[in-house]
Amino acid sequence: MVWSRALFWSLQLFLVSLPLVQSGSVPAGGACSTDNNHVESSTKKSLTDCDDKTFCLVSGSTNGTCTPKKCRRDEFPFGYNPGETIPPICSQGTFCPDDGSGCQPLIDVGGTCELSRDEQCKQPPNWDKLSSHLNFNGSICLHSRCMYANATIGQRCLLDNTTYVDPGPGDQQVSRTVFRDNCRTPSFFCDQTYLQCLPTKPLGASCLRDQECQTYNCENSVCVYPPETPLHVSPWQTVLTIICIISAMAATCITLVLVHQRQRLERRRELREYYHEQSR
Ligand SMILES: *[C@@H]1O[C@H](CO)[C@@H](O)[C@H](O)[C@H]1NC(C)=O
Ligand SMILES: *[C@@H]1O[C@H](CO)[C@@H](O)[C@H](O)[C@H]1NC(C)=O
Ligand SMILES: *[C@@H]1O[C@H](CO)[C@@H](O)[C@H](O)[C@H]1NC(C)=O
Ligand SMILES: *[C@@H]1O[C@H](CO)[C@@H](O)[C@H](O)[C@H]1NC(C)=O
């Protein structure tokens, strides 16, 4: 369901830029309270009293001050005008938390991370073996804990599901549940019923989620090739095509030569008859 993934992410992008889920409105220097920090239930965006350019800094008392963000995650952060100075991106080995309160060192396995922020976690020593497009260098943030995506066949796995809801155009809500687990991908997936890692399924097997398929594409409950798969032409097909083209070209040439020859013979016959008549 690659198209729906694309749709989902574009919806997310759209949502993040909607005023409807905007953060608080307190500008830099204003008062804020971290008691009001919460995660928007439908979009999972973390919100504070402060506006898009600030975070709630608390020192001492319970009430804080909205302070300009000290780091950014995105190349083009939301809420800044063109030409405005934007906070820096964190260097390698550090990450910028969702609130932008400053770069922090990567978190060890078992530590607390933010929702779906796999890149906040320290990579495992064998990251090159565990790394896949479903984790970050072999680490994954599940149930707000950093872990390694290292569980293999038969081992218990953690399955994390997050449902994102988009209010959508005209009251029709679009929701999508994203499942994530700590099985070693792409060889294994976390079975929803047994919560054990099982080997991913071959083409044509029945499935519920993309993760269950070796091709990472489950459509109409069957594992299929993703639509972006290039078409493979086998050598015999190439050879057959070439032979067909050459034969067609040869046939055309031969036909032309024959037609030409026939015309020449015809003309010669006419000339011969003409001389015959003249010499009579
Ligand atoms: C903290 O904020 C609350 C409401 O925003 C206010 O009632 C309270 O007086 C503040 N406390 C301090 C110490 O500023
Ligand atoms: C994974 O870790 C290696 C080694 O630390 C690093 O060079 C690489 O950039 C990391 N990959 C990603 C996607 O960050
Ligand atoms: C996966 O990583 C965790 C954390 O280091 C470790 O405790 C566990 O034994 C590992 N499991 C496997 C199968 O390697
Ligand atoms: C998602 O997880 C919650 C608990 O974390 C569980 O109650 C719920 O059944 C799960 N949803 C699906 C579709 O598995």
Side-chain angles (χ1 to χ4, degrees), residues 143 159-162 177 179 192:
H143 298 300
L159 189 64
D160 179 326
N161 70 67
T162 313
T177 304
F179 288 88
Q192 224 160 314

Side-chain angles (χ1 to χ4, degrees), residues 132-231:
S132 85
H133 72 285
L134 292 174
N135 57 45
F136 186 84
N137 254 353
S139 293
I140 191 158
C141 182
L142 296 180
H143 298 300
S144 304
R145 295 264 166 239
C146 281
M147 46 192 82
Y148 298 152
N150 64 353
T152 58
I153 188 158
Q155 291 183 321
R156 274 193 81 73
C157 51
L158 269 171
L159 189 64
D160 179 326
N161 70 67
T162 313
T163 304
Y164 297 87
V165 182
D166 175 22
D171 284 347
Q172 43 178 230
Q173 293 207 327
V174 184
S175 78
R176 174 146 172 89
T177 304
V178 174
F179 288 88
R180 290 146 50 79
D181 62 72
N182 62 335
C183 293
R184 191 164 170 166
T185 45
S187 317
F188 304 101
F189 73 97
C190 188
D191 184 85
Q192 224 160 314
T193 323
Y194 304 108
L195 294 179
Q196 277 185 349
C197 295
L198 296 182
T200 42
K201 302 171 182 176
L203 280 175
S206 71
C207 54
L208 296 171
R209 296 178 286 120
D210 289 342
Q211 276 104 325
E212 298 179 12
C213 301
Q214 283 167 4
T215 54
Y216 197 70
N217 192 33
C218 179
E219 253 169 57
N220 303 323
S221 305
V222 178
C223 289
V224 292
Y225 279 119
E228 67 268 25
T229 312
L231 183 68

Side-chain angles (χ1 to χ4, degrees), residues 19 32 37 68 77 79 87 89 95 130 144 159 173 214 220 262 264:
C32 59
N37 288 4
I89 283 184
F95 71 89
L130 302 180
S144 304
L159 189 64
Q173 293 207 327
Q214 283 167 4
N220 303 323
R262 176 168 286 198
R264 244 183 21 207

